[in-house]
Amino acid sequence: MNPFDIESFVATGGLIGLCVLIFVETGILVGFIFPGDSVLFTAGVFAAQPEPFAPLWLLCLAVPLAAILGDQCGYFIGRRVGRSVVEGKLMRTIGPEYLAKTNHYFDRFGPLTVFFGRFIGIVRTLTPLVAGFSGMSHRTFTLFSVLGSFTWAAGIILLGYFLGNVPLIRDNIEIFIIASVLTIVVPTFIHLARRWHTARKVRRADHPGTA
């Protein structure tokens, strides 16, 4: 199953595959590459079809629960490992600006960051980790995690469900899926390419004789 081939992923992975992807996107640092918003929207569109892959009520219950469990996993990883979890090689690939942005949100909004972070790509992957190693109360984190997960996951699924009944979207679903994926993949690719280019320039400056 390829999570970037969203139509195939939803059709093949079904509800279980969708829940696993949403869990990984938040619970494990490598999940930042997954197009969670696009997958949820597409799942909602497919749920509106004559033969849905899963009932709408089940999607709106199971997927937010997977997001909540992902948050809990990320939180306890941050609590257990500490700040070193965001100082490794993978974090250098993501780039320090996203960690700085997440820290800025915590400084400005406090626990509300756990709620609002759900709606911001990559930030929602880092938020549970930062909450964990920064010492945020687990009860407070869980409260805002539950609210944010249900609002985000169920909200986007419902948006896809109701728009999936619009003839323009229903009859051109492939185009809308590709467009939604590109909104995630293209910025991520540009960001990683810039990170690679910057790292290469630094290496050249440190070792002038290397290519």
Side-chain angles (χ1 to χ4, degrees), residues 167-186:
L168 176 63
I169 296 179
R170 184 182 62 241
D171 298 338
N172 298 279
I173 182 63
E174 293 84 0
I175 296 175
F176 282 95
I177 290 174
I178 292 172
S180 64
V181 172
L182 290 178
T183 62
I184 303 295
V185 173
V186 171

Side-chain angles (χ1 to χ4, degrees), residues 4-69:
F4 295 99
D5 183 358
I6 296 180
E7 186 172 4
S8 175
F9 176 84
V10 173
T12 305
L15 179 60
I16 294 177
L18 178 60
C19 289
V20 170
L21 183 143
I22 296 301
F23 172 86
V24 171
E25 187 187 24
T26 304
I28 304 175
L29 196 56
V30 295
F32 81 95
I33 64 173
F34 293 149
D37 294 333
S38 300
V39 173
L40 291 176
F41 182 83
T42 303
V45 172
F46 281 9
Q49 304 310 306
E51 297 182 3
F53 73 100
L56 180 63
W57 70 266
L58 185 56
L59 281 173
C60 291
L61 176 63
V63 179
L65 289 176
I68 293 167
L69 291 175

Side-chain angles (χ1 to χ4, degrees), residues 25-26 29 31-34 37 91 93-95 97-99 101-102 117-129 184 187-188 191-192:
E25 187 187 24
T26 304
L29 196 56
F32 81 95
I33 64 173
F34 293 149
D37 294 333
M91 192 63 231
T93 301
I94 297 174
E97 57 268 32
Y98 284 104
L99 179 59
K101 181 185 293 187
T102 304
R118 263 289 166 199
F119 298 87
I120 307 172
I122 300 183
V123 170
R124 64 173 160 262
T125 302
L126 296 176
T127 296
L129 296 168
I184 303 295
T188 301
H191 170 71
L192 294 177

